[in-house]
Every structure is written in C-alpha cells, then in structure tokens.
Amino acid sequence: MPDVTTGIGAAALKASAAAGPIAIFVLLVGQMLSGETLAIRVGPTEVGNAMGMAVWFSIGAMIIALIPNILGAMLMGWASARNLGLRHPAAWGLVGAAVMGLPAIAIDGAGSADTAALAAMGALNALVCRMGVRWASASPTV
C-alpha cells in the first residue's frame, strides 16, 4: 500500500493564491536587475492604480495557476510517496522550474531573461506548494 500523501488540495490552493504575488515579485526583481530605468511620475493616484491592478493580476494568476498546481501537486505527491528523495524541497523546486522553464526555452531561447523569470516563478510556486504537503510515514513504500 503506498504512503498516504495529505494536504495536496490545500497546498495547491495556497500555491495558486501565491502565483500572482510571486509573478509580480519576480518581474520587479527582473526589472531592477536589467539596469533599465523607469522614468514615470508616481503620485497617490498612480500608487492606488498599481495596487488595484496588482489585485486583479493576482486573481487572474490564481485562476490560471490552479489546474497546473493541482496536477503538479498530485503528481509530485504520488512520486514522493514512492521515492524519499523526491520529498526534498529542492526536487519540487527543480520540477517547478523545469515545467515553466523548458517550454519557455523552446519558444524564447535559453539566454532570455523571460525564460529565467518563468523558471523562477515555477520554482517558487512549487516550493510554496511543497510546504503544505505531508506524508503518513518517513519512508516510502511501494
């Protein structure tokens, strides 16, 4: 009997809720690292508009990320129940980075900043998902 994995649904929901803020964070860090300056006027109205857009962006990102996060959490939970090494957060992060990064490499190329941003988003989202998953025992059974 395979090991019982618990918390998959809640973990996928939390990771989906975090998808928008993670994407905003990664995009802002990428903008800062690019060295390009943004010459915009920022006042109270612009800050309010940006906050409103961030909320709507986060809701959209949650909706888009929900199905992939559920499928990924189920697959990694199943695999981790059978292989103790896959329970490590680094394994989840690498799988998340691969799931988001490999299609981007195929489309945009390996040296693209967009590809790196997507891989970072996938890794961070997978790590958030991994935090909520638990197994019934410390060792896997087949």
Side-chain angles (χ1 to χ4, degrees):
M1 186 89 176
D3 196 359
V4 177
T5 308
T6 59
I8 293 288
L13 187 61
K14 289 175 188 173
S16 297
I22 287 172
I24 292 169
F25 171 75
V26 169
L27 292 172
L28 288 174
V29 168
Q31 179 63 40
M32 288 189 308
L33 293 176
S34 72
E36 297 176 22
T37 58
L38 295 174
I40 58 172
R41 184 178 136 295
V42 178
T45 303
E46 288 79 13
V47 171
N49 290 342
M51 291 172 66
M53 286 189 301
V55 168
W56 285 109
F57 179 82
S58 294
I59 292 170
M62 179 180 180
I63 293 168
I64 292 169
L66 190 58
I67 298 297
N69 281 337
I70 290 171
L71 294 174
M74 288 173 58
L75 180 63
M76 284 300 292
W78 176 84
S80 299
R82 286 150 181 78
N83 184 335
L84 189 61
L86 293 178
R87 294 183 187 182
H88 196 280
W92 285 62
L94 287 172
V95 169
V99 166
M100 290 288 285
L102 291 177
I105 288 172
I107 294 168
D108 204 20
S112 169
D114 296 336
T115 300
L118 284 170
M121 286 181 214
L124 290 171
N125 210 333
L127 290 173
V128 169
C129 191
R130 167 60 183 88
M131 288 191 303
V133 179
R134 299 288 178 262
W135 293 269
S137 70
S139 63
T141 57
V142 178

